[in-house]
Amino acid sequence: MTAPSIRNVSEREARQVAEAAREQDWRKPSFAKELFLGRFRLDLIHPHPTPAVDDVRRGEKFLATLRDFCESEIDGARIEREGKIPDETVHGLKELGAFGMKIDAKYGGLGLTQVYYNRALALVGTASPAIGALLSAHQSIGVPQPLKLFGTKEQKETFLPRCARTDISAFLLTEPDVGSDPARLATLAVPDGTDYLLDGVKLWTTNGVVADLLVVMARVPASEGNKGGITAFVVEADSPGITVENRNAFMGLRGLENGVTRFHQVRVPAANRIGPEGAGLKIALTTLNTGRLSLPAMCVGSGKWCLKIAREWSAAREQWGRPVAKHEAVGAKISFIAATTFALEAVVDLSSQMADENRNDIRIEAALAKLYGSEMGWLMADELVQIRGGRGYETADSLAARGERAVPAEQMLRDMRINRIFEGSTEIMHLLIAREAVDAHLSVAGDLIDPDKTLADKGRAAAKAGGFYARWLPKLVAGPGQLPRTYQEFGQLAGHLRYVERTSRKLARSTFYAMSRWQGRMETKQGFLGRIVDIGAELFAMSAACVRAEYLTETADHGREAQQLADVFCRQARIRVEELFGRLWTNTDELDRKVVDGVLDGSYTWLEEGMIDPSGDGPWIADATPGPSRTDNVRRPVR
């Protein structure tokens, strides 16, 4: 059966599909949601939540075992040279139980908490980012997590033991012409008796080249007895009709087993459907609520490595009579790396512990952690290359060949770059978080700006909105952040928390003013929304850093140093926040739009003269017409 073209999806329909997929209700409190509303709910994150003693014991025991394995069995340089993870390394990770870190012990897994799972990924990701991606894709978005949240008892008993010890899983959503706009999903799952027949092509299938089990998102046509819609399935990767047509190669993550997978009349039992028809996107987004934390966790590991290399190199390298670290231009970069690593670890650990306790809704916190971690992780890697100078641009093999320490700083930069795209690009994360941040406004006033609503609907919405804003707006005028002795238990950090409280109210006022000004056009103001989200991310990171520093002061030997790092980070963050506030209303957004129109209509093609385009021929987007494969299967299961 040929899949119908659904490329011409209207903007409105695309928004409706995305809106239907998001969680509609807030059943639990959310620190970040309250922050965007101008309510600084410090009680939701302080005192800092702590893991159970048994969880710590099991987690630390596994981390020690994993560290030994990483130091003795993982050759990151070899993976970089050969562009693949050796089979024996994968086998060793399986024997260790690393593929079952998040899987419950009753299914053969280790049953680690989110906190220790993330710390394990941070550790192994520094040994080899490609292995970090392998383990993360398998457990954070692959088969284990969707089944843990939405699978039936039979599905869990069938697939989770395999995922814990023997099988590798992958997640297949993206298509050659479908990225962050799932309304255009073309892969079909047509009901056929007690089965479904899958047809379509999936792109950028991380782990897809070596996977044994796949989570596949496909569109079920609506029909009598079938609700239809985007639906999730567990698919055996060796099923007849599945062809891995290409193993993709990238700027970084050379060992990533990422490919193009074609489905042609692939028979999948209805028993392998996860959840009901039409629930696929909701399952994917809910899975990512905690799954997104794995990426910033690996950014934390990268920051720690950047700090170590910056410290050692800057002490050894002398210029003009003293170590380069003593020169302010370099020292500022080292301070940024140290302070940001501390804050990012605070964000990830806090969010992870809240995920383990399951008492808060962390959908915004996890998204902020991903956004902030990927952006700051990239900046830290870039600063390390700058600190290393020419040696930062030189490969580790070249450094070793001429007798110097093989420091893979340039590889780190290449490997880190994908994080700003993985699991939702920075631009998409801005929009996703902004949508959640204004949810309270849309729930009370959304009908006022909806062109399809009747006058009666708008009248009811106006009355509802009037009551909400009459109660909410006065609370944005003053708060505890204006009292000089508030949060005194935080010592020298109290002033930063007062700043967060005041600034969260300012952020909420700015958002309300923008909604009043632009109303239905607010969603087109992506530059403004991105800055609003970035301010919220900084405030969340400041809060997490202060709470972590206070916690370490009470429980660890290096409380004074933690306070110092938190203080420096908050001072750096406050400068960034003030700049972002200035750019809310003073920017070139309107001029940029005019220039873009000119670029697209060809007004500036004269500017492109005088260069050679080294790109090859071929279409911008590969043909993904359903049908049998015409290429060899490059699937490479690890046995």
Side-chain angles (χ1 to χ4, degrees):
M1 177 176 180
T2 301
S5 172
I6 57 168
R7 294 179 185 274
N8 297 320
V9 174
S10 70
E11 182 179 354
R12 182 171 181 78
E13 183 182 349
R15 288 200 306 270
Q16 288 173 338
V17 169
E19 184 65 18
R22 61 176 290 274
E23 292 181 72
Q24 304 293 326
D25 301 322
W26 292 86
R27 299 183 183 88
K28 299 173 184 175
S30 164
F31 173 80
K33 176 175 178 284
E34 294 293 301
L35 196 67
F36 280 107
L37 285 170
R39 299 191 285 245
F40 182 48
R41 290 287 307 280
L42 185 61
D43 61 296
L44 294 177
I45 61 172
H46 175 70
H48 194 290
T50 55
V53 174
D54 285 347
D55 291 337
V56 172
R57 178 185 53 77
R58 285 186 295 112
E60 293 294 340
K61 180 180 178 182
F62 178 72
L63 286 183
T65 304
L66 182 63
R67 175 178 288 277
D68 290 342
F69 180 86
C70 290
E71 292 175 342
S72 61
E73 303 297 331
I74 294 179
D75 187 344
R78 177 187 172 188
I79 293 171
E80 176 72 3
R81 285 193 304 271
E82 297 180 357
K84 60 176 285 190
I85 301 169
D87 288 1
E88 59 269 24
T89 303
V90 177
H91 287 307
L93 289 166
K94 289 181 178 181
E95 291 172 6
L96 231 66
F99 283 86
M101 287 186 283
K102 285 194 71 178
I103 298 175
D104 196 286
K106 69 180 179 181
Y107 300 114
L110 298 181
L112 297 185
T113 63
Q114 186 73 37
V115 168
Y116 277 97
Y117 169 68
N118 285 343
R119 290 179 184 176
L121 289 179
L123 179 64
V124 77
T126 51
S128 168
I131 293 179
L134 170 75
L135 295 176
S136 173
H138 167 72
Q139 292 170 91
S140 297
I141 56 175
V143 171
Q145 190 68 9
L147 287 192
K148 176 182 177 180
L149 297 174
F150 299 99
T152 64
K153 179 175 181 290
E154 292 74 19
Q155 288 172 338
K156 293 175 182 178
E157 291 174 347
T158 299
F159 297 116
L160 291 184
R162 291 169 57 182
C163 291
R165 291 289 175 180
T166 59
D167 289 10
I168 298 173
S169 70
F171 176 78
L172 281 62
L173 171 62
T174 305
E175 298 176 1
D177 199 26
V178 179
S180 298
D181 180 9
R184 304 169 68 207
L185 198 76
T187 297
L188 281 184
V190 179
D192 184 54
T194 58
D195 299 333
Y196 292 85
L197 291 179
L198 264 62
D199 279 279
V201 178
K202 294 294 185 180
L203 175 64
W204 296 325
T205 61
T206 298
N207 289 2
V209 178
V210 296
D212 305 287
L213 291 170
L214 314 171
V215 175
V216 181
M217 295 292 167
R219 181 183 300 279
V220 176
S223 62
E224 186 176 348
N226 291 92
K227 176 185 176 182
I230 298 173
T231 306
F233 299 89
V234 178
V235 182
E236 300 280 357
D238 61 356
S239 299
I242 297 180
T243 306
V244 179
E245 295 189 329
N246 192 64
R247 183 183 187 273
N248 303 322
F250 301 97
M251 173 196 295
L253 295 181
R254 297 283 169 83
L256 195 68
E257 298 290 353
N258 179 296
V260 177
T261 302
R262 178 178 291 271
F263 298 86
H264 176 60
Q265 296 288 287
V266 177
R267 190 167 291 278
V268 180
N272 285 24
R273 189 187 68 221
I274 309 174
E277 289 182 356
L281 283 183
K282 188 176 289 271
I283 289 171
L285 290 177
T286 305
T287 296
L288 281 172
N289 279 347
T290 53
R292 280 198 177 99
L293 290 174
S294 63
L295 192 150
M298 288 186 280
C299 291
V300 169
S302 300
K304 290 174 179 287
W305 182 80
C306 288
L307 180 60
K308 177 180 184 294
I309 298 302
R311 172 178 56 82
E312 294 176 349
W313 166 248
S314 299
R317 174 66 162 170
E318 289 192 2
Q319 292 283 274
W320 297 296
R322 50 183 178 156
V324 293
K326 296 295 185 179
H327 293 285
E328 192 172 272
V330 175
K333 299 179 187 301
I334 297 173
S335 175
F336 167 75
I337 292 173
T340 304
T341 297
F342 176 82
L344 185 53
E345 185 170 40
V347 165
V348 173
D349 265 14
L350 178 63
S351 301
S352 301
Q353 187 58 41
M354 289 195 292
D356 287 329
E357 294 184 355
N358 200 27
R359 60 185 171 90
N360 287 359
D361 187 323
I362 67 157
R363 74 181 85 162
I364 300 183
E365 286 85 345
L368 287 172
K370 188 275 175 188
L371 169 69
Y372 199 72
S374 59
E375 290 295 323
M376 289 304 191
W378 164 255
L379 288 175
M380 288 190 288
D382 187 55
E383 292 288 41
L384 177 65
V385 168
Q386 193 70 17
I387 291 169
R388 289 274 290 159
R391 290 171 174 83
Y393 195 68
E394 191 173 359
T395 68
D397 282 348
S398 177
L399 288 165
R402 59 181 186 79
E404 291 193 1
R405 185 176 299 186
V407 178
E410 61 84 29
Q411 180 192 335
M412 173 64 72
L413 192 64
R414 289 187 287 102
D415 290 340
M416 291 291 286
R417 185 59 182 83
I418 187 57
N419 293 334
R420 299 176 64 209
I421 301 171
F422 259 169
E423 297 179 17
S425 68
T426 291
E427 293 71 27
I428 291 298
M429 296 307 297
H430 277 151
L431 297 181
L432 184 152
I433 297 167
R435 171 61 187 86
E436 299 295 354
V438 300
D439 184 56
H441 299 285
L442 293 180
S443 3
V444 298
D447 288 354
L448 281 172
I449 59 177
D450 189 334
D452 292 340
K453 295 299 181 181
T454 65
L455 285 176
D457 290 333
K458 291 180 183 292
R460 284 189 292 270
K464 185 178 179 182
F468 172 79
Y469 289 119
R471 295 186 303 271
W472 178 67
L473 286 172
K475 296 178 181 178
L476 301 183
V477 177
Q482 292 168 287
L483 302 177
R485 299 190 61 80
T486 311
Y487 313 124
Q488 280 302 300
E489 66 269 30
F490 286 84
Q492 68 179 30
L493 302 178
H496 297 309
L497 292 177
R498 290 195 292 271
Y499 175 86
V500 172
E501 195 280 332
R502 295 193 305 273
T503 308
S504 70
R505 287 186 282 110
K506 181 179 178 181
L507 182 64
R509 292 195 301 269
S510 299
T511 304
F512 175 74
Y513 172 71
M515 292 187 68
S516 304
R517 175 179 174 181
W518 292 315
Q519 298 185 27
R521 294 184 296 126
M522 179 78 159
E523 67 181 26
T524 68
K525 304 297 180 179
Q526 295 180 4
F528 177 89
L529 292 172
R531 294 174 199 117
I532 287 287
V533 169
D534 286 340
I535 292 169
E538 294 284 5
L539 297 181
F540 177 41
M542 289 176 66
S543 305
C546 290
V547 169
R548 182 176 182 82
E550 196 268 344
Y551 170 71
L552 292 177
T553 300
E554 297 292 327
T555 62
D557 295 332
H558 39 262
R560 183 176 63 84
E561 292 81 6
Q563 293 263 340
Q564 184 180 37
L565 287 171
D567 179 49
V568 171
F569 171 78
C570 287
R571 292 178 186 278
Q572 294 172 354
R574 287 167 74 156
I575 294 171
R576 294 191 292 266
V577 166
E578 293 307 313
E579 180 184 352
L580 286 164
F581 268 117
R583 291 173 56 209
L584 283 180
W585 312 111
T586 305
N587 53 63
T588 60
D589 292 350
E590 291 298 330
L591 292 174
D592 293 340
R593 274 188 278 273
K594 292 179 181 178
V595 170
V596 169
D597 289 341
V599 169
L600 294 180
D601 68 21
S603 299
Y604 305 126
T605 53
W606 53 268
L607 192 58
E608 300 168 9
E609 296 173 2
M611 60 86 188
I612 299 295
D613 182 358
S615 307
D617 296 328
W620 285 103
I621 299 171
D623 179 45
T625 304
S629 181
R630 295 178 174 83
T631 68
D632 293 334
N633 192 351
V634 298
R635 177 174 177 260
R636 187 184 66 83
V638 180
R639 294 285 182 259

